[in-house]
Amino acid sequence: MILVFSILWLLLIFLGCLSLGSYVAWWYPIELISHFRTQYLCFSLIISALFLLLRWQTFVKNKILFLLGFIFSLMLVGLNAVEIIPWYLPNSQQISANSENKVRFLSFNINVQNQQYEDIINVVRENNPDVALFMEIEQDSVNKLKPGLNEFLPYSFKSPGGGLALFSRLPIQDARGDTLNFNSYNLLATIEINQKPVQLIATHPVIPVKMDTFHRRNRHLDVIADFVKQETLPLILLGDFNLTPWSPYYRRFTKKTGLHNASLGYGIMATYPRYTNYVRYPKYIIPLINIPIDHCFVSQEFKVANYRVGNNANSDHAPIIADLVLSE
């Protein structure tokens, strides 16, 4: 039992380094550890329970070591819970799901390798959005999705770069692909909600798994933030950000823009990864690495009536669905 107790202490120290390190993870590759806050909370709860179990079974003779370990594990529970609990609490931009004048937005990274178009169409039909954004989509995929979507999403636009496409029940105005003076495309468009123009931005920063892509993603976020700060219209920002709420770069982005994450109040909505027939993660691994990197941000003019995650339709991402109400 001394060995078990020693291993538990080593795990506790390692988890403590990960949990605390997330707050100062400005550098590559350290920033990658910041994305697993829910996992850190779960493991800290498990370790706390194991300390209690060992003490209850009288396997631990040294009361001081037990108390230190148990207190430290509870501190880690609190440290990680502080980052998770607010996502489940009501907020001022949350309203009743029965509210009127809701407009539903769906954002879905379908994965460029995914060819199960009928499943994708079915997911869209099941959720019945007013506006659907697709990422990692080529022109051939757009052509194959159009026949199944045109009936209820008759307007569409594909960005010339960035793998972004928009399908809408509402007329799309001034749609364009725009790099915003950076080297990655974004999709910008104006839609009307309750006869008011709304700026829609769709984006997909690169995966920060290498030093150069890490800096590109962060620069892309800064460029988007600068654009948002200058925008005067009500604004919706959708996409796969390759970023979780616990990254310091996420905190910097939301502080710069003042935008509200629509999932606040509805819980942690992990969207990646999902099981597919082309990128086969072991199914038992997925809950251990599942993280929320797809987001819907809105300006203060919007209220959020509902937010959820949909079926992944063989993509390695699940779609997010947000019901938004534009204030009068």
Side-chain angles (χ1 to χ4, degrees):
M1 285 302 152
I2 293 176
L3 177 61
V4 173
F5 191 59
S6 300
I7 291 173
L8 206 54
W9 257 102
L10 288 172
L11 289 173
L12 186 60
I13 293 169
F14 180 62
L15 184 60
C17 291
L18 293 175
S19 301
L20 290 168
S22 298
Y23 287 105
V24 292
W26 290 99
W27 307 277
Y28 176 86
I30 299 173
E31 193 257 356
L32 296 174
I33 72 172
S34 69
H35 303 310
F36 301 95
R37 186 66 75 175
T38 51
Q39 287 84 346
Y40 298 157
L41 175 60
C42 291
F43 284 127
S44 58
L45 285 167
I46 291 169
I47 289 175
S48 298
L50 289 173
F51 267 108
L52 274 180
L53 179 63
L54 289 175
R55 180 60 185 163
W56 179 62
Q57 294 292 342
T58 68
F59 291 136
V60 180
K61 305 299 182 184
N62 192 320
K63 292 183 179 180
I64 294 177
L65 278 179
F66 160 73
L67 283 173
L68 286 174
F70 185 59
I71 290 170
F72 187 24
S73 64
L74 286 183
M75 288 174 63
L76 289 184
V77 170
L79 178 72
N80 290 299
V82 163
E83 298 293 332
I84 301 297
I85 290 173
W87 293 86
Y88 293 86
L89 300 178
N91 62 80
S92 60
Q93 283 187 247
Q94 197 176 0
I95 57 174
S96 169
N98 297 320
S99 301
E100 296 182 351
N101 300 320
K102 293 181 293 187
V103 180
R104 178 166 294 175
F105 290 81
L106 180 144
S107 177
F108 194 3
N109 182 336
I110 64 173
N111 195 301
V112 70
Q113 299 180 69
N114 186 8
Q115 297 183 357
Q116 293 189 202
Y117 301 111
E118 199 59 40
D119 290 343
I120 296 169
I121 291 168
N122 287 338
V123 166
V124 177
R125 285 181 174 275
E126 287 166 9
N127 290 286
N128 193 27
D130 297 287
V131 179
L133 165 69
F134 296 103
M135 289 155 284
E136 292 197 20
I137 185 168
E138 303 295 341
Q139 186 59 54
D140 180 61
S141 299
V142 170
N143 295 339
K144 290 177 178 176
L145 290 175
K146 267 189 175 182
L149 298 179
N150 271 350
E151 180 184 347
F152 61 106
L153 298 174
Y155 303 99
S156 63
F157 173 77
K158 164 109 175 36
S159 171
L164 302 163
L166 202 63
F167 286 76
S168 177
R169 181 177 286 118
L170 309 171
I172 301 171
Q173 304 169 12
D174 304 321
R176 69 187 191 274
D178 198 324
T179 64
L180 302 178
N181 297 318
F182 188 55
N183 60 358
S184 295
Y185 269 90
N186 309 281
L187 191 159
L188 278 66
T190 303
I191 58 173
E192 275 198 4
I193 299 177
N194 300 338
Q195 298 182 329
K196 294 180 181 179
V198 170
Q199 177 68 65
L200 179 68
I201 307 172
T203 192
H204 185 193
V206 295
I207 304 172
V209 293
K210 298 187 292 185
M211 178 73 79
D212 63 327
T213 56
F214 171 74
H215 289 300
R216 278 182 59 199
R217 182 207 61 182
N218 300 334
R219 178 63 185 138
H220 193 159
L221 292 170
D222 287 338
V223 167
I224 291 287
D226 291 339
F227 181 82
V228 168
K229 284 192 297 183
Q230 297 172 13
E231 183 56 59
T232 57
L233 293 175
L235 184 141
I236 301 168
L237 172 60
L238 294 163
D240 169 7
F241 287 75
N242 282 305
L243 183 79
T244 67
W246 308 292
S247 166
Y249 292 97
Y250 176 96
R251 292 193 291 270
R252 185 172 76 177
F253 178 79
T254 52
K255 185 177 181 180
K256 278 184 177 181
T257 62
L259 294 177
H260 173 83
N261 193 317
S263 69
L264 274 164
Y266 296 95
I268 302 298
M269 300 290 183
T271 55
Y272 174 86
R274 290 292 192 271
Y275 188 77
T276 75
N277 62 12
Y278 48 88
V279 182
R280 294 184 180 177
Y281 298 98
K283 287 188 176 180
Y284 67 88
I285 288 289
I286 289 177
L288 299 178
I289 59 175
N290 221 347
I291 53 177
I293 62 175
D294 297 270
H295 304 292
C296 172
F297 294 100
V298 295
S299 58
Q300 297 300 312
E301 295 90 345
F302 282 98
K303 303 295 184 183
V304 185
N306 198 15
Y307 189 97
R308 66 180 187 276
V309 167
N311 186 294
N312 68 307
N314 198 44
S315 171
D316 56 348
H317 286 250
I320 55 172
I321 301 101
D323 290 345
L324 307 178
V325 177
L326 182 60
S327 300
E328 295 294 335

